[in-house]
Amino acid sequence: MSDNFFAYISRMRYIERWALMRNALPENIQEHSHMVAVLAHALGVIRRDVFGVPCDPNEAAIVALFHDSSEILTGDLPTPIKYHSPAISNAYREVEHIANEQLLGTLPEALRGAYAPILDGEVHERCYDLVKAADKLSAYLKCVEERKAGNHEFLSAERQTLAWLQAQHMQEIDYFLEHFAPAFELDLDELGSIQ
């Protein structure tokens, strides 16, 4: 079983997201994790450079890249089910922990120490708030994309996700929503060319 870690990680591209949403534009957890990594890095840079709070944006990005890796073994559990009750949420967190331990077991012993803090350890904990915010921000932007594509199945999720983001009163989220989110409403022509 050792030495299979990266082959497992590459399988993230086969796990489809948004399976319960009708007519959704295709997205897999690899694409999702990439976007969450970009957003977590951006929120980390905003935290550090705009608000002067010590932060390593690169740590946030790497945690975000791997934040859904347990789903390689568990599959994607939709948010309404995952957070239906505290009992289900706690049980699912335990399942994720076990899956991450199994994934770590596929690495040679010499490499486990580098990945354990990212998947389930101190680096993961240190960056959790930024990655959680980036994950929700990615979901919100996905809803915007779906609405723009004419899929009204995501309207309720868009309102709920935006309300969650605003309720966090997290200065990094507020800054991103004010300065960068409006551009996601534009099409390519409206974005214009890069000068």
Side-chain angles (χ1 to χ4, degrees):
M1 183 98 145
S2 190
D3 302 344
N4 296 342
F5 181 80
F6 295 104
Y8 275 117
I9 294 298
S10 75
R11 301 258 190 302
M12 289 171 73
R13 68 179 175 258
Y14 300 120
I15 300 170
E16 294 296 322
R17 297 178 49 81
W18 309 103
L20 297 179
M21 302 301 269
R22 195 174 41 217
N23 303 320
L25 298 170
E27 180 181 80
N28 60 51
I29 64 169
Q30 189 172 52
E31 293 165 338
H32 168 72
S33 293
H34 175 266
M35 184 60 176
V36 174
V38 169
L39 293 170
H41 187 271
L43 295 175
V45 170
I46 291 166
R47 176 175 284 178
R48 185 191 66 201
D49 296 352
V50 175
F51 298 109
V53 177
C55 179
D56 183 347
N58 297 328
E59 273 190 351
I62 196 69
V63 169
L65 273 176
F66 288 96
H67 85 283
D68 278 339
S69 59
S70 65
E71 291 181 14
I72 296 162
L73 301 177
T74 66
D76 180 35
L77 188 62
T79 296
I81 297 167
K82 193 184 298 186
Y83 298 108
H84 177 73
S85 71
I88 291 174
S89 296
N90 290 335
Y92 193 71
R93 267 194 292 283
E94 181 60 24
V95 167
E96 288 178 317
H97 174 73
I98 292 167
N100 282 330
E101 289 297 314
Q102 287 186 337
L103 278 174
L104 286 169
T106 67
L107 280 166
E109 188 66 40
L111 299 180
R112 289 180 192 161
Y115 288 92
I118 294 165
L119 292 181
D120 222 6
E122 70 269 7
V123 177
H124 181 272
E125 289 303 313
R126 194 165 44 243
C127 298
Y128 180 80
D129 68 328
L130 289 175
V131 174
K132 180 70 174 175
D135 193 33
K136 287 289 193 178
L137 193 52
S138 174
Y140 170 69
L141 297 173
K142 168 70 172 172
C143 293
V144 169
E145 178 182 59
E146 291 287 342
R147 175 176 44 78
K148 285 178 47 186
N151 187 354
H152 299 288
E153 190 77 15
F154 283 75
L155 293 177
S156 176
E158 181 179 352
R159 284 190 301 274
Q160 291 171 9
T161 308
L162 180 59
W164 185 94
L165 289 165
Q166 292 168 332
Q168 300 314 297
H169 302 291
M170 192 171 162
Q171 58 190 2
E172 298 86 355
I173 294 173
D174 296 341
Y175 187 92
F176 190 95
L177 288 173
E178 179 183 345
H179 294 277
F180 299 109
F184 286 84
E185 295 284 351
L186 306 176
D187 63 32
L188 194 54
D189 289 334
E190 293 169 324
L191 284 171
S193 63
I194 297 175
Q195 302 291 328

